Structure formats: structure tokens, C-alpha cells
Amino acid sequence: MAASIYDDPGFFAGYSGLRRSVEGLDGAPEWPALRALLPDMAGLRVLDLGCGFGWFCRWARGAGAAGVVGLDLSARMLARARAMTERDGIAYARADLGRLPLGEAGFDLAYSSLALHYVEDLDGLFAAVHRALRPGGRLVASLEHPVFTAPRAPGWLPGEAGGWRWPVDGYRQEGPRAVDWLGGRVVKQHRMLGTLLNGLLRAGFVLDHVEDWGPTEAQVAAQPELAKERERPIFLLLAAHRP
């Protein structure tokens, strides 16, 4: 099984201090938009791909899901998730999302928050998730937007007329991008928007929603540090179903 940078003690400590790590779903500004894409949880069998600290697993179970399975590559993430989980009906397991041992039609909903851009074999993952969903089952996911992942040296630059600009290069050159974050060297996978959407279609999914997410004016008013995120999409939100 591949190693996870999230198991590096220093990196994990930095990640643990992020707002979304401390406050959970309420600390993730994209959560209201993601939540709007979710079906009623009552009685559903739910799979969380890249569950992290288990925030969504606990939310889904509390919202009425019959059972939730959270998968993550990081042993430290899973240990924290188990320590924070008091509800029954939630199971955590260590798994490489690029090589998922999923069965057939065992889940009603697959959810993933900011994990798919780490997966090298995304086509294999989409195929495995499609098999794991019952007919009518849904996939709801967020990942870093291709505009965000494309640059080889990502970063804001001052705009010529004031403000800020996000230069995009290498958009059509898909593949790994190594970036410095939280004191570590993190490798992500850049893919064009068409590659992502066509991958879902090839796997047999029907697309229901595609969103270039950015914060609302109300969110920026409450958190001024989000103002730059209105200049370009940072996250891509997707919803699809197995017919």
C-alpha cells in the first residue's frame, strides 16, 4: 500500500490546525454547496472515500444513514477518526483509493471530499465506485479544480489594475504536480475538466451537477480571507448517479 504524507508527524500536525480540521464540516466553506447535492440520508448505505477525521461519516450517520464506511490511506487520519467517533454504525478502514477492494452494489451513496486529486488511477476508482453503487446510487464529490491544479508553480500574482490574478500554465499537460504545502512536498494529479467528466461517463455514470465552486458574498463578508477565491474556482463539485 502506498505511503501517505498525512502520516508524517509534522505534516499531520499542520493539517490538524486547519480550520476545516478543527471545526469539521462547518469549517469547510464549500460544505453548504456539497450538502445541497446530497440525497436524504435516511436508511442509506454510505461510502466515504478519503474520510480523513471522519467528519462526514459522523454527519451522515447522525442524519439517518443505516451504515457508513470511511476509507483513508492515512493511518493517523483513521486513528483520529476512530478516537472522535462515538456512534455505532460507522466502520473505518485503511485503503488505497487507487486500488479499492469494493464489491458489487453495496452502497447507495459514495461521497468524497478533496481526495480525488490525489488518485493516480482515477478511471479505475470511478469504475470501482460505479460497481459498488446500487442502480440509482449517487456519487457526490469535491476535488481541487483543474484551474487550481494546472500551474507548475501555483500562486497569486498582483493584478496590473490592482487586485490579484491566478496565472494558469500547463493546463493541457496532465499528470503529477508537486507543491509545497504545510511544510511538506505534496503530489497531486492534474487533469483537464474534460478528462474528469469523460472519465465519469466512461465508467457508466450519468452526470447530474457540475459546479465551479467559489465563496458567496456572505461568506467573504464573514471570512475576508476568502475574497481571493472569487477570482478563480478553487474546487470542482460533482454529482452523478449509476442508472
Side-chain angles (χ1 to χ4, degrees):
M1 185 176 295
S4 170
I5 192 171
Y6 288 86
D7 284 333
D8 176 84
F11 188 89
F12 184 78
Y15 180 82
S16 297
L18 296 179
R19 181 169 182 166
R20 66 178 61 237
S21 299
V22 175
E23 300 179 13
L25 300 179
D26 291 335
E30 75 279 8
W31 168 241
L34 269 176
R35 183 175 56 199
L37 302 178
L38 294 168
D40 183 352
M41 293 287 119
L44 298 189
R45 299 161 295 170
V46 177
L47 176 66
D48 186 352
L49 301 164
C51 64
F53 289 178
W55 292 106
F56 178 77
C57 294
R58 292 186 291 276
W59 178 88
R61 185 72 173 112
V68 185
V69 175
L71 303 179
D72 205 283
L73 180 60
S74 168
R76 286 182 182 270
M77 288 281 205
L78 293 171
R80 181 71 62 87
R82 293 186 179 104
M84 297 174 69
T85 299
E86 298 178 353
R87 294 180 180 273
D88 59 4
I90 302 176
Y92 296 108
R94 188 165 182 248
D96 185 338
L97 298 188
R99 294 183 286 274
L100 279 184
L102 298 176
E104 175 75 22
F107 296 95
D108 303 291
L109 170 68
Y111 174 87
S112 183
S113 173
L114 303 183
L116 300 186
H117 49 264
Y118 291 115
V119 179
E120 186 172 356
D121 183 11
L122 194 59
D123 283 345
L125 173 60
F126 284 158
V129 172
H130 186 271
R131 289 193 301 270
L133 290 172
R134 64 166 179 79
R138 302 196 69 189
L139 168 65
V140 174
S142 67
L143 64 158
E144 291 185 354
H145 197 283
V147 166
F148 184 75
T149 60
R152 298 181 181 88
W156 291 103
L157 295 176
E160 295 179 1
W164 299 91
R165 60 187 176 92
W166 182 266
V168 175
D169 66 326
Y171 183 84
R172 293 187 55 81
Q173 283 72 56
E174 297 184 317
R177 298 288 194 274
V179 297
D180 294 321
W181 186 51
L182 299 177
R185 194 71 168 162
V186 181
V187 178
K188 304 172 184 179
Q189 300 295 325
H190 166 65
R191 295 176 176 88
M192 294 185 292
L193 180 60
T195 299
L196 293 167
L197 300 184
N198 286 324
L200 285 168
L201 296 175
R202 282 194 302 272
F205 283 101
V206 174
L207 281 168
D208 299 314
H209 184 85
V210 179
E211 181 174 341
D212 304 291
W213 183 87
T216 64
E217 291 183 7
Q219 287 178 313
V220 172
Q223 296 177 245
E225 66 272 17
L226 293 176
K228 286 182 181 178
E229 307 307 339
R230 290 180 63 81
E231 296 296 326
R232 56 95 177 92
I234 185 172
F235 301 139
L236 179 67
L237 309 188
L238 300 172
H241 70 274
R242 175 180 175 176

